């Protein structure tokens, strides 16, 4: 092939790329049209069945056209993710699940999480009032017309805020919170409020672009029926709802959040103490280590008080972390002694515990790492 022929082929590739882009724009316009139809029909922003159909369909088309397995589903997953973000970032409005009159009050609504939910409530036709520590003089006025009252403040002052708020609440108002600790917070809401109580824990940070597929834990405690519309509202926004007992939630969060964040915090503080050249680490890193380093950097880019609140929120967390540190010391002895047999025995024991998830994790992480490698400059 001559240089002229190569340039001709490249031109045809460029023209094909242009056609692909035009088709993606057409699809995006259709997504917005479909979103408006969903609003009129009162259905969720996300449908698991529809997404599964789309992904299965493109894989079938890929096989028919002899394209590599997984290529089209990878592309389509990104297209779908951008579609969900598109609906969240436009003026698209969601159905309102509360059919009667009633506004929303978010105490601490000027924080990141409060702003996210205020935006979604407003897009669903609710009037939202938010205030922080300087707006308490207006609280009685805001609460007069409220149906939903959400406390979204740091964990260590949440119970005090509930106490301060409770004399102003009516028994028909639903009291909720957004804290990552549920047991003592739900108990406090039950103690100081006579009406419906619904503990909530959004399992994501304030940097999310869409609630689609984001997990929200619900801990209904009193008059669950009264708050069913609010849980349905979360579903309409696309959230994945996980209903859980408050103390069962806290036990799981000790592992999912407190232990994980402590491990990341400790690793980051150790790295800072030995101060290796970060640019060299990034240059030398494999995709999996780069991902780990990114997760460490992500934590330290955020509010230290948030993570302190999560890690230090209970004695249960301290006991779990203490047991973890003691376990690490035991494993350190294995390394010090060069005891390969014990290391292998424990390794295989853990593999047995993870069972089929180990193979599943290997496959899924491989897909994530391949995408991360694509992003590398």
């Amino acid at each position: 092939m001559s240089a002229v022929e190569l340039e001709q082929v490249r031109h045809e590739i460029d023209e094909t790329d242009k056609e692909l882009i035009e088709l993606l724009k057409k699809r995006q316009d259709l997504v917005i049209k479909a979103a408006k139809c969903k609003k009129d029909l009162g259905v969720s922003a996300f449908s698991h069945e529809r997404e599964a159909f789309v992904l299965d369909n493109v894989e079938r088309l890929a096989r028919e056209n002899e394209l590599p397995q997984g290529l089209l589903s990878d592309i389509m997953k990104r297209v779908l993710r951008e579609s969900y973000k598109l609906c969240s970032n436009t003026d698209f409005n969601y159905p309102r699940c509360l059919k009667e009159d009633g506004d929303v009050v978010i105490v601490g609504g000027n924080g990141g999480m409060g702003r996210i939910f205020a935006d979604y409530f407003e897009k669903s036709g609710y009037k939202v009032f938010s205030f922080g520590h300087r707006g308490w003089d207006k609280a009685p006025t805001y609460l007069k017309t409220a149906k939903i009252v959400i406390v979204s403040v740091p964990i260590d002052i949440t119970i005090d805020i509930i106490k301060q708020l409770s004399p102003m609440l009516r028994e028909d108002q639903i009291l909720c919170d957004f804290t990552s600790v549920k047991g003592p917070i739900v108990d406090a809401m039950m103690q100081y409020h006579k009406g419906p109580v619904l503990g909530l824990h959004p399992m994501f940070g304030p940097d999310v672009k869409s609630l689609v597929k984001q997990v929200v834990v619900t801990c209904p405690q009193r008059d669950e029926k009264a708050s069913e519309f609010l849980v349905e509202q979360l579903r309409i926004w696309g959230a994945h709802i996980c209903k859980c007992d408050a103390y069962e939630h806290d036990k799981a969060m000790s592992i999912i959040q407190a232990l994980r964040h402590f491990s990341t915090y400790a690793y980051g503080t150790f790295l800072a103490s030995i101060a290796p050249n970060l640019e060299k680490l990034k240059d030398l890193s494999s995709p999996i280590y780069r991902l780990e380093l990114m997760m460490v950097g992500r934590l330290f880019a955020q509010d230290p008080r948030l993570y302190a609140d999560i890690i230090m929120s209970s004695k249960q967390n301290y006991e779990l972390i203490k047991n973890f540190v003691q376990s690490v010391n035991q494993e350190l002895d294995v390394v010090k002694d060069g005891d390969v047999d014990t290391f292998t025995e424990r390794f295989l024991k853990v593999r047995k515990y993870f069972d089929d998830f180990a193979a599943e994790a290997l496959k899924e992480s491989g897909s994530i790492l391949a995408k991360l490698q694509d992003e590398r400059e």
Side-chain angles (χ1 to χ4, degrees):
M1 176 179 287
S2 67
V4 173
E5 289 173 317
L6 175 59
E7 284 305 310
Q8 176 59 35
V9 171
R10 284 176 171 171
H11 175 72
E12 291 178 19
I13 290 174
D14 293 341
E15 287 299 307
T16 302
D17 289 344
K18 181 181 176 184
E19 292 175 17
L20 286 172
I21 292 168
E22 290 170 349
L23 286 172
L24 286 171
K25 177 61 171 66
K26 180 180 179 180
R27 190 186 194 283
Q28 178 178 285
D29 293 341
L30 290 170
V31 164
I32 294 174
K33 187 175 180 180
K36 292 178 180 177
C37 291
K38 288 180 183 180
K39 192 259 183 181
D40 294 338
L41 294 170
V43 299
S44 172
F46 170 69
S47 168
H48 183 274
E49 292 76 14
R50 172 62 182 169
E51 182 174 285
F53 168 79
V54 169
L55 294 176
D56 288 344
N57 190 48
V58 296
E59 277 302 298
R60 177 183 61 79
L61 292 171
R63 290 193 297 272
E64 290 176 2
N65 288 274
E66 299 181 346
L67 290 170
Q69 182 180 2
L71 171 62
L72 287 184
S73 59
D74 279 353
I75 295 171
M76 190 53 67
K77 285 175 184 176
R78 177 60 189 271
V79 170
L80 290 170
R81 186 165 76 249
E82 293 301 321
S83 297
Y84 302 142
K85 286 165 58 178
L86 175 68
C87 292
S88 299
N89 295 331
T90 62
D91 293 330
F92 169 70
N93 294 319
Y94 298 90
R96 175 184 164 114
C97 291
L98 177 62
K99 301 308 177 186
E100 61 187 82
D101 291 338
D103 302 327
V104 178
V105 170
I106 305 178
V107 185
N110 296 325
M113 195 63 68
R115 287 196 299 270
I116 288 173
F117 280 91
D119 181 60
Y120 270 91
F121 276 117
E122 287 172 348
K123 285 182 176 179
S124 300
Y126 297 86
K127 193 170 184 179
V128 180
F129 299 98
S130 299
F131 66 92
H133 65 282
R134 294 181 180 176
W136 280 93
D137 58 320
K138 298 178 181 178
T141 302
Y142 294 159
L143 290 166
K144 278 183 182 178
T145 57
K147 181 66 175 179
I148 305 165
V149 181
I150 302 171
V151 178
S152 179
V153 298
I155 297 170
D156 61 338
I157 63 170
T158 298
I159 293 178
D160 290 336
I161 295 298
I162 291 168
K163 289 180 184 178
Q164 187 175 352
L165 192 63
S166 60
M168 294 180 273
L169 297 179
R170 303 188 312 271
E171 288 193 16
D172 67 316
Q173 292 174 318
I174 301 165
L175 181 59
C176 311
D177 75 295
F178 278 162
T179 60
S180 60
V181 173
K182 295 269 70 80
I185 304 301
V186 166
D187 287 347
M189 290 193 290
M190 290 289 289
Q191 179 180 351
Y192 296 105
H193 180 51
K194 302 303 180 184
V197 169
L198 176 66
L200 296 171
H201 182 192
M203 293 291 296
F204 48 86
D207 59 339
V208 298
K209 304 302 181 185
S210 166
L211 292 192
V212 170
K213 297 187 183 180
Q214 298 292 345
V215 175
V216 177
V217 180
T218 64
C219 300
Q221 196 65 25
R222 181 190 291 129
D223 196 358
E224 182 176 357
K225 187 172 180 58
S227 61
E228 284 179 349
F229 80 91
L230 179 51
V231 177
E232 182 58 27
Q233 190 71 69
L234 294 168
R235 287 197 182 96
I236 289 287
W237 294 337
H240 173 74
I241 305 301
C242 180
K243 181 180 173 181
C244 191
D245 171 79
Y247 283 95
E248 181 184 359
H249 162 277
D250 290 353
K251 186 176 180 180
M253 285 305 113
S254 290
I255 298 171
I256 296 170
Q257 287 194 323
L259 180 58
R260 183 65 259 164
H261 292 330
F262 173 80
S263 300
T264 304
Y265 162 80
Y267 184 67
T269 55
F270 177 72
L271 273 187
S273 72
I274 61 175
N277 185 306
L278 278 177
E279 290 303 317
K280 183 59 68 177
L281 282 184
K282 289 191 293 183
D283 287 343
L284 296 173
S285 64
S286 63
I288 193 164
Y289 180 71
R290 186 174 178 84
L291 180 59
E292 290 177 356
L293 199 60
M294 288 168 61
M295 297 311 294
V296 176
R298 174 184 171 85
L299 184 142
F300 287 96
Q302 299 179 72
D303 181 4
R305 177 161 178 172
L306 170 65
Y307 289 98
D309 284 345
I310 293 172
I311 293 169
M312 304 176 193
S313 62
S314 70
K315 189 174 183 350
Q316 175 178 289
N317 288 352
Y318 168 75
E319 292 296 329
L320 182 67
I321 292 169
K322 182 180 73 174
N323 291 337
F324 170 70
V325 172
Q326 291 172 347
S327 173
V328 170
N329 283 329
Q330 292 174 8
E331 301 308 324
L332 182 60
D333 289 338
V334 174
V335 175
K336 182 182 72 173
D337 296 338
D339 190 347
V340 176
D341 290 339
T342 299
F343 180 91
T344 302
E345 179 185 346
R346 292 178 180 176
F347 189 100
L348 294 176
K349 184 178 180 181
V350 175
R351 177 187 290 177
K352 185 176 180 181
Y353 164 75
F354 277 98
D355 198 25
D356 292 342
F357 180 70
E360 180 185 334
L362 182 64
K363 180 180 178 181
E364 289 189 9
S365 63
S367 176
I368 293 170
L369 295 173
K371 291 182 178 67
L372 183 61
Q373 187 71 357
D374 290 341
E375 297 292 325
R376 194 163 194 164
E377 294 181 357

